[in-house]
Amino acid sequence: MSKDKLQIIPIGGLGEFGMNCMAIRWDEDIFVIDAGLMFPESDLLGVDIVVPDITYLIENRSRIRGIVLTHGHEDHIGGLPWLLRELNVPVYATEFTLAYVEGKLEEHKLLDDAELIEIEPKSKFQLGPFTIEPLRVTHSLVDCVALAIETPVGIIIHTGDFKVDLSPPDDHAFDLASFAEYGKRGVLALLQDSTNVDRAGYTPSEWAVRPRLDEVFSRTQRRLFFSCFSSSIYRLRIALELAQKHGRKVAIVGRSMLESSEIAQDLGYLSIPGDLLVHPGQIKDYAPDEVCVLISGTQGEPMSALSRAAVDNHKHAKIERGDTVVLSSRVIPGNEKSIYRVIDHLCRREAHVIFDDGQSGLIHVSGHGSQEELRLMINLVRPKFFVPVHGDFRHLQKHARLAMDIGISENAYLLEDGDVLELDQTTATKNGKVAAGRVLLDSGASGNVVEDMIIRDRRHLSEDGLVIAIITINKLTGRVEGMPEFVTRGFVAGDLELGEQAKAIVGKTLEESNAEERADQVLIKEKIRVDLKRYIQKQTASRPFIMPIILEI
Amino acid sequence: MSKDKLQIIPIGGLGEFGMNCMAIRWDEDIFVIDAGLMFPESDLLGVDIVVPDITYLIENRSRIRGIVLTHGHEDHIGGLPWLLRELNVPVYATEFTLAYVEGKLEEHKLLDDAELIEIEPKSKFQLGPFTIEPLRVTHSLVDCVALAIETPVGIIIHTGDFKVDLSPPDDHAFDLASFAEYGKRGVLALLQDSTNVDRAGYTPSEWAVRPRLDEVFSRTQRRLFFSCFSSSIYRLRIALELAQKHGRKVAIVGRSMLESSEIAQDLGYLSIPGDLLVHPGQIKDYAPDEVCVLISGTQGEPMSALSRAAVDNHKHAKIERGDTVVLSSRVIPGNEKSIYRVIDHLCRREAHVIFDDGQSGLIHVSGHGSQEELRLMINLVRPKFFVPVHGDFRHLQKHARLAMDIGISENAYLLEDGDVLELDQTTATKNGKVAAGRVLLDSGASGNVVEDMIIRDRRHLSEDGLVIAIITINKLTGRVEGMPEFVTRGFVAGDLELGEQAKAIVGKTLEESNAEERADQVLIKEKIRVDLKRYIQKQTASRPFIMPIILEI
């Protein structure tokens, strides 16, 4: 590496959406911005999450001064347990982000050993040669920051995820003034979120969904089920406020929704009147027009509360004819089939389903800035160099062009994971590449059940092995025909031990599922996978990939 | 079954998009409308296409008088080889549809035995007790018809796929008058396409894309690659016309595009001046601004010409910096990742990519009628009963509501595959269910290479077996680490014979792929699957499911 050069090294998130992670290096000091995960493409069976390959960070273990998190979304913090297990370095984040991090580290039994340091907007802190000032930005989540980093060669600004919400529901305003001030002082490089570079104009405020949701609440005659991303604290706030306004008690169903609302309440981002909340078990005690259920599972996740309620298999959340279900979120590309599957189940129950189909009015807004906000930031910060971050290659490329068209910056650099950009006070040059890539992890059941996270790099597949369970179901009767069969490979316990007991496990899973669940292949495969996995791990302490295949006759 | 009742029995396409197929029965006579296929969800590895379970038709073999096709799209004719192999009955279709059918049956070596009968709009024909009049409709494909069916209890109209295009590029007008006339005579039931029931207003004409495409042609300085669905004859017509206008020769690349354009030329739907077309091998002989390449692969199909060109692995189609690539089609949900993968490859080559991102102007229009067109048809036909067809349950449900809100029909019936609707002159009743479901087929390589279609019902998996090929690739070097390993199950040839030779096959496939292809998992897996499959079939005459798994180190 060159001496007296600042290095910007994306480890993840440049060339894909998700698993955001970036190293900033000066000589013998490195700090890391974010440690995110990505959800896998559906053809990676047996894999729950994807995180960046951190070989470079591990090789430079002794140089790493800390990890600074911009906000608490999974694509920015979800890889933290995996990273901290390899590199136990201090973690810097705002109060709300730390609350999410604590929960996550506790699940992975890493909390006791972790050094978590709370940061605040406008309070500078030092990491080696870097002076870092967090700057308040707005996003779909609360307590988010950008980072202004003073380095020996100049100031670098990393936006994190942001939109310019001029009326955020929590009155924590976007700190336009500080960005402008840095712009006046002179900024060497701006690293900016590319997510919505395809969208013209401005992204609406988080408040913008309230009128349409108010209308939905006022029109709904029977039960109202409201689903959104569980981290959408602003959205939960609006739903709670509307429930109170329209005389409905609120039950919160689904672990992630419950945890998220508790954290938000503790930290003052949600203030819920004492008598508004009821226990899910009480839903049945209220008239249908007196209750609103906040429920997780807006992306059709097979094990989520909403997915289960949609096939009439949730203890407390019963969805009946004439009930209304609002999915206040977007349909994330790749999730269409799961989401529409759930919607079809809901329609069969004759529920009214309101989702983001382009016809339902504004029931969701993006958390990422559109083109005008990207231009606004560049106009405020006036960077000498521009580096687009967070996106597929085409987004980064489009964003670089958008930036250069403004005519403020001298040059834009298209980096992908592993690329090294070297800067001094006057120049920036791409110089070489470090190890980078994707690592697949098996985090236990997807959905809400979280077990220990197992590091499941693909290279370990042949060590822990592969179990394929072949189940034959009669499509007409929904019954299992014959016994399940198992194909194993490199699996220590061998075929023999996966005999009668494992068959019985699969049989039990099928028995305990209703006909609708059995007919829903994605759902039933996930249930079988989770149950078999738990059994195999208990019996053999081995963690093979498990791949159920359903044959319908 | 009840006597003196007409039965309407959806075999496929009601409860999903695709695999459209419907039986109409009176006493001892049945005829079938359409025989479509569906493309599988991505979690059905090793499966190429999905067709409806035709057990009911097979059981009633002797009663079936024929199959009538509404138009030539795969979701209406793609299951025909599979159906005809089981039931060799006469096939009725318009000239253009028959041309597609002939090609398809020839590939499957079924053409010689097939009885194909050409029908024409406004020419009635008889099938048992049914008098059928095809009525001209407009769609994204040419030569499409709806069917007006005189039955002993009254007239049934099945719309097929349609939109009301008031200025179709081929001057074959939508036959509004005939629909109105049937409406005056009295229609017992209307079976109408639900595809676009979510869209308000009217769907634009096929002509509507011309202004924006004209602009793209006039602005493009270098090579222009134009991709659309190969069956989009109207789109090809517009592209050819614009190429001529802007002084570009046209090369057609990709087998499906070539076949489709030849059929359209033969039947007079495309008239191409003799000197406009050049052979793909000549592309290099023309200056970049003198050539336009019509290329197949608009959905990012891994083996398509465009996918290969995007990674610089197509003999004739070289995409270079500054070239323009137009994807004049929609992004079909489920295909996002494949499509964006191709777009990313194109962006890396610094090509300008114009696709349907909501920002690129009108470069594609739907072939299906929006809400106002659905209402228009109901107003023309004035059916006593209404049955929505073609769609997920939620579309059918919404369509039934839309129809009832007009206040013309007495009742709407929500049928799903296998449901039996019985009608007499005054009543309609859902009565029972016949066998229905999905059958998975392995049609050989997806993309352009078509081998014999193999009937691969899931129940046969355990007979023909399963081969999992595990390949370890070093992510940094792109090299294969160690030898591929095979896991087999119920595969007659056994582990032994899948030894060195099969390993060599996989090695060869990898060697012949460039680094970019090897880094593209979906692409490389498909290549390995196709090559291994060809080898295994040749060696063993066995046709196992083949599932490549790539491990990256």
Side-chain angles (χ1 to χ4, degrees), chain A residues 41-42 198 336 340-341 344 347-348 359 393-394 397 416 458 468 485 487 489 521 550, chain B residues 41-42 198 336 340-341 344 347-348 355 359 393-394 397 416 458 468 485 487 489 521 550:
Chain A
E41 302 190 22
S42 59
D198 276 340
E336 290 89 353
Y340 292 136
R341 193 179 290 122
D344 259 23
C347 287
R348 285 200 179 83
Q359 316 271 323
F393 187 84
R394 71 189 168 91
Q397 190 180 56
E416 291 191 88
R458 293 187 204 186
I468 298 171
E485 290 181 72
V487 178
R489 169 71 186 173
Q521 292 230 349
I550 308 251
Chain B
E41 301 189 24
S42 58
D198 276 340
E336 290 89 353
Y340 291 137
R341 194 180 290 123
D344 259 24
C347 287
R348 286 200 179 84
F355 65 103
Q359 316 271 321
F393 188 84
R394 70 189 169 88
Q397 190 180 57
E416 291 189 87
R458 291 187 203 187
I468 298 172
E485 291 181 71
V487 179
R489 170 69 186 174
Q521 292 231 348
I550 308 253

Side-chain angles (χ1 to χ4, degrees), chain B residues 231-413:
Chain B
S231 64
S232 296
I233 307 302
Y234 295 133
R235 204 66 49 82
L236 292 177
R237 185 171 164 144
I238 290 170
L240 285 160
E241 186 231 315
L242 290 173
Q244 187 165 36
K245 174 179 169 189
H246 294 279
R248 287 175 183 265
K249 297 288 180 191
V250 175
I252 301 179
V253 169
R255 176 171 147 162
S256 62
M257 191 73 98
L258 206 57
E259 284 182 351
S260 191
S261 62
E262 276 170 9
I263 290 173
Q265 247 186 304
D266 285 351
L267 301 182
Y269 286 94
L270 280 179
S271 78
I272 310 181
D275 60 342
L276 186 63
L277 285 187
V278 299
H279 185 271
Q282 295 176 274
I283 295 172
K284 61 178 188 318
D285 304 334
Y286 287 88
D289 64 344
E290 291 177 344
V291 66
C292 168
V293 181
L294 303 187
I295 187 165
S296 32
T298 179
Q299 296 302 303
E301 303 90 337
M303 308 298 280
S304 67
L306 183 60
S307 280
R308 283 181 288 139
V311 293
D312 202 17
N313 194 14
H314 194 282
K315 203 170 160 193
H316 302 304
K318 305 272 176 219
I319 298 176
E320 291 166 352
R321 184 174 174 169
D323 288 349
T324 295
V325 182
V326 180
L327 303 179
S328 178
S329 60
R330 74 184 182 114
V331 176
I332 295 181
N335 294 351
E336 290 89 353
K337 299 218 171 179
S338 316
I339 295 172
Y340 291 137
R341 194 180 290 123
V342 169
I343 292 175
D344 259 24
H345 285 307
L346 294 170
C347 287
R348 286 200 179 84
R349 308 208 126 56
E350 297 192 56
H352 304 297
V353 187
I354 298 172
F355 65 103
D356 191 16
D357 60 356
Q359 316 271 321
S360 291
L362 199 62
I363 57 166
H364 177 68
V365 286
S366 170
H368 298 270
S370 301
Q371 287 168 5
E372 291 309 308
E373 288 151 285
L374 303 177
R375 291 192 179 102
L376 174 60
M377 181 63 90
I378 293 169
N379 273 275
L380 286 170
V381 168
R382 311 188 67 78
K384 185 175 177 71
F385 301 124
F386 183 79
V387 180
V389 301
H390 310 162
D392 287 345
F393 188 84
R394 70 189 169 88
H395 297 92
L396 305 179
Q397 190 180 57
K398 190 165 184 178
H399 197 182
R401 286 190 190 134
L402 174 144
M404 292 311 294
D405 283 350
I406 297 175
I408 288 176
S409 301
E410 225 169 74
N411 214 343
Y413 296 88

Side-chain angles (χ1 to χ4, degrees), chain A residues 271-493:
Chain A
S271 79
I272 310 181
D275 61 343
L276 186 63
L277 286 187
V278 300
H279 185 272
Q282 294 177 275
I283 295 171
K284 60 179 187 319
D285 304 334
Y286 288 88
D289 63 343
E290 291 177 343
V291 67
C292 168
V293 181
L294 303 187
I295 187 162
S296 31
T298 178
Q299 295 302 302
E301 303 89 336
M303 308 299 279
S304 68
L306 183 59
S307 279
R308 283 181 287 137
V311 292
D312 201 20
N313 194 14
H314 193 282
K315 203 171 161 191
H316 302 306
K318 304 270 175 222
I319 298 176
E320 290 166 354
R321 184 178 176 164
D323 288 349
T324 295
V325 181
V326 180
L327 302 178
S328 177
S329 60
R330 75 184 180 113
V331 175
I332 294 181
N335 294 351
E336 290 89 353
K337 300 220 169 179
S338 316
I339 295 172
Y340 292 136
R341 193 179 290 122
V342 169
I343 291 174
D344 259 23
H345 285 307
L346 294 170
C347 287
R348 285 200 179 83
R349 309 208 126 56
E350 296 192 57
H352 305 295
V353 186
I354 297 171
F355 66 103
D356 192 13
D357 59 357
Q359 316 271 323
S360 291
L362 199 63
I363 57 167
H364 178 66
V365 286
S366 170
H368 299 271
S370 302
Q371 288 169 4
E372 292 308 307
E373 289 152 284
L374 303 177
R375 292 193 178 102
L376 174 60
M377 181 63 90
I378 292 169
N379 272 277
L380 286 170
V381 169
R382 310 187 67 77
K384 185 176 178 69
F385 301 123
F386 183 78
V387 179
V389 301
H390 309 163
D392 287 345
F393 187 84
R394 71 189 168 91
H395 296 93
L396 305 179
Q397 190 180 56
K398 189 164 185 178
H399 198 182
R401 287 191 188 134
L402 175 145
M404 291 312 293
D405 284 349
I406 297 174
I408 289 175
S409 301
E410 225 169 75
N411 214 342
Y413 295 88
L414 270 176
L415 306 183
E416 291 191 88
D417 299 345
D419 284 340
V420 179
L421 185 70
E422 293 191 336
L423 302 104
D424 58 25
Q425 282 159 338
T426 53
T427 66
T429 324
K430 265 167 87 164
N431 189 2
K433 214 167 161 72
V434 306
R438 300 176 186 183
V439 176
L440 311 186
L441 301 181
D442 179 358
S443 73
S446 68
N448 296 330
V449 185
V450 179
E451 306 169 3
D452 277 2
M453 182 164 69
I454 307 311
I455 295 166
R456 174 150 300 296
D457 192 326
R458 293 187 204 186
R459 79 192 85 170
H460 296 154
L461 174 61
S462 51
E463 290 167 22
D464 274 1
L466 174 74
V467 174
I468 298 171
I470 301 171
I471 296 111
T472 313
I473 293 186
N474 184 313
K475 174 102 184 179
L476 284 180
T477 64
R479 286 218 196 93
V480 182
E481 302 270 326
M483 293 298 272
E485 290 181 72
F486 298 97
V487 178
T488 66
R489 169 71 186 173
F491 169 58
V492 289

